[in-house]
mmCIF file of all heavy atoms in Angstrom:
data_model
loop_
_atom_site.group_PDB
_atom_site.id
_atom_site.type_symbol
_atom_site.label_atom_id
_atom_site.label_comp_id
_atom_site.label_asym_id
_atom_site.label_seq_id
_atom_site.Cartn_x
_atom_site.Cartn_y
_atom_site.Cartn_z
ATOM 1 N N LEU A 33 84.471 -60.666 8.707
ATOM 2 C CA LEU A 33 84.433 -61.690 9.752
ATOM 3 C C LEU A 33 85.051 -62.983 9.260
ATOM 4 O O LEU A 33 85.570 -63.775 10.048
ATOM 5 C CB LEU A 33 82.995 -61.959 10.194
ATOM 6 C CG LEU A 33 82.251 -60.773 10.791
ATOM 7 C CD1 LEU A 33 80.800 -61.130 11.026
ATOM 8 C CD2 LEU A 33 82.912 -60.338 12.073
ATOM 9 N N TYR A 34 84.977 -63.200 7.949
ATOM 10 C CA TYR A 34 85.503 -64.422 7.348
ATOM 11 C C TYR A 34 85.866 -64.105 5.912
ATOM 12 O O TYR A 34 85.206 -63.294 5.248
ATOM 13 C CB TYR A 34 84.455 -65.545 7.392
ATOM 14 C CG TYR A 34 84.929 -66.801 6.708
ATOM 15 C CD1 TYR A 34 85.761 -67.695 7.373
ATOM 16 C CD2 TYR A 34 84.582 -67.073 5.391
ATOM 17 C CE1 TYR A 34 86.235 -68.836 6.737
ATOM 18 C CE2 TYR A 34 85.039 -68.212 4.750
ATOM 19 C CZ TYR A 34 85.873 -69.083 5.421
ATOM 20 O OH TYR A 34 86.344 -70.209 4.796
ATOM 21 N N GLU A 35 86.912 -64.777 5.423
ATOM 22 C CA GLU A 35 87.296 -64.646 4.019
ATOM 23 C C GLU A 35 87.976 -65.923 3.579
ATOM 24 O O GLU A 35 88.774 -66.511 4.316
ATOM 25 C CB GLU A 35 88.245 -63.464 3.831
ATOM 26 C CG GLU A 35 88.654 -63.257 2.384
ATOM 27 C CD GLU A 35 89.434 -61.968 2.151
ATOM 28 O OE1 GLU A 35 89.904 -61.347 3.128
ATOM 29 O OE2 GLU A 35 89.579 -61.595 0.977
ATOM 30 N N ASP A 36 87.637 -66.366 2.378
ATOM 31 C CA ASP A 36 88.358 -67.456 1.724
ATOM 32 C C ASP A 36 88.444 -67.139 0.242
ATOM 33 O O ASP A 36 88.170 -66.000 -0.166
ATOM 34 C CB ASP A 36 87.723 -68.836 2.030
ATOM 35 C CG ASP A 36 86.322 -69.027 1.462
ATOM 36 O OD1 ASP A 36 85.913 -68.298 0.519
ATOM 37 O OD2 ASP A 36 85.612 -69.918 1.952
ATOM 38 N N GLU A 37 88.815 -68.103 -0.568
ATOM 39 C CA GLU A 37 89.009 -67.844 -1.999
ATOM 40 C C GLU A 37 87.710 -67.543 -2.743
ATOM 41 O O GLU A 37 87.738 -66.993 -3.841
ATOM 42 C CB GLU A 37 89.741 -69.019 -2.678
ATOM 43 C CG GLU A 37 88.965 -70.322 -2.717
ATOM 44 C CD GLU A 37 89.058 -71.167 -1.444
ATOM 45 O OE1 GLU A 37 89.657 -70.730 -0.442
ATOM 46 O OE2 GLU A 37 88.509 -72.280 -1.453
ATOM 47 N N ASN A 38 86.559 -67.882 -2.139
ATOM 48 C CA ASN A 38 85.274 -67.713 -2.819
ATOM 49 C C ASN A 38 84.437 -66.549 -2.340
ATOM 50 O O ASN A 38 83.619 -66.033 -3.092
ATOM 51 C CB ASN A 38 84.439 -68.994 -2.667
ATOM 52 C CG ASN A 38 85.100 -70.171 -3.316
ATOM 53 O OD1 ASN A 38 85.518 -70.099 -4.463
ATOM 54 N ND2 ASN A 38 85.221 -71.263 -2.588
ATOM 55 N N MET A 39 84.594 -66.140 -1.072
ATOM 56 C CA MET A 39 83.676 -65.147 -0.518
ATOM 57 C C MET A 39 84.281 -64.420 0.676
ATOM 58 O O MET A 39 85.295 -64.829 1.230
ATOM 59 C CB MET A 39 82.385 -65.822 -0.059
ATOM 60 C CG MET A 39 82.568 -66.685 1.177
ATOM 61 S SD MET A 39 80.989 -67.254 1.816
ATOM 62 C CE MET A 39 81.572 -68.572 2.889
ATOM 63 N N ILE A 40 83.572 -63.340 1.043
ATOM 64 C CA ILE A 40 83.793 -62.686 2.323
ATOM 65 C C ILE A 40 82.460 -62.716 3.073
ATOM 66 O O ILE A 40 81.391 -62.817 2.466
ATOM 67 C CB ILE A 40 84.304 -61.231 2.178
ATOM 68 C CG1 ILE A 40 83.273 -60.334 1.496
ATOM 69 C CG2 ILE A 40 85.637 -61.200 1.453
ATOM 70 C CD1 ILE A 40 83.606 -58.841 1.530
ATOM 71 N N ILE A 41 82.537 -62.629 4.402
ATOM 72 C CA ILE A 41 81.336 -62.486 5.221
ATOM 73 C C ILE A 41 81.528 -61.255 6.084
ATOM 74 O O ILE A 41 82.560 -61.098 6.744
ATOM 75 C CB ILE A 41 81.084 -63.722 6.094
ATOM 76 C CG1 ILE A 41 80.798 -64.944 5.208
ATOM 77 C CG2 ILE A 41 79.907 -63.471 7.054
ATOM 78 C CD1 ILE A 41 80.577 -66.243 5.982
ATOM 79 N N ILE A 42 80.517 -60.369 6.049
ATOM 80 C CA ILE A 42 80.521 -59.141 6.834
ATOM 81 C C ILE A 42 79.184 -59.032 7.568
ATOM 82 O O ILE A 42 78.239 -59.762 7.260
ATOM 83 C CB ILE A 42 80.737 -57.892 5.943
ATOM 84 C CG1 ILE A 42 79.589 -57.717 4.944
ATOM 85 C CG2 ILE A 42 82.081 -57.978 5.220
ATOM 86 C CD1 ILE A 42 79.633 -56.426 4.130
ATOM 87 N N ARG A 43 79.107 -58.125 8.526
ATOM 88 C CA ARG A 43 77.832 -57.830 9.187
ATOM 89 C C ARG A 43 77.012 -56.906 8.293
ATOM 90 O O ARG A 43 77.552 -56.002 7.647
ATOM 91 C CB ARG A 43 78.058 -57.141 10.528
ATOM 92 C CG ARG A 43 78.600 -58.066 11.577
ATOM 93 C CD ARG A 43 78.472 -57.449 12.975
ATOM 94 N NE ARG A 43 78.963 -58.383 13.961
ATOM 95 C CZ ARG A 43 78.241 -59.377 14.491
ATOM 96 N NH1 ARG A 43 76.984 -59.525 14.149
ATOM 97 N NH2 ARG A 43 78.778 -60.195 15.367
#
Side-chain angles (χ1 to χ4, degrees):
L33 299 173
Y34 177 81
E35 181 172 14
D36 66 20
E37 66 277 5
N38 297 311
M39 70 171 164
I40 64 170
I41 296 178
I42 63 173
R43 288 195 178 276

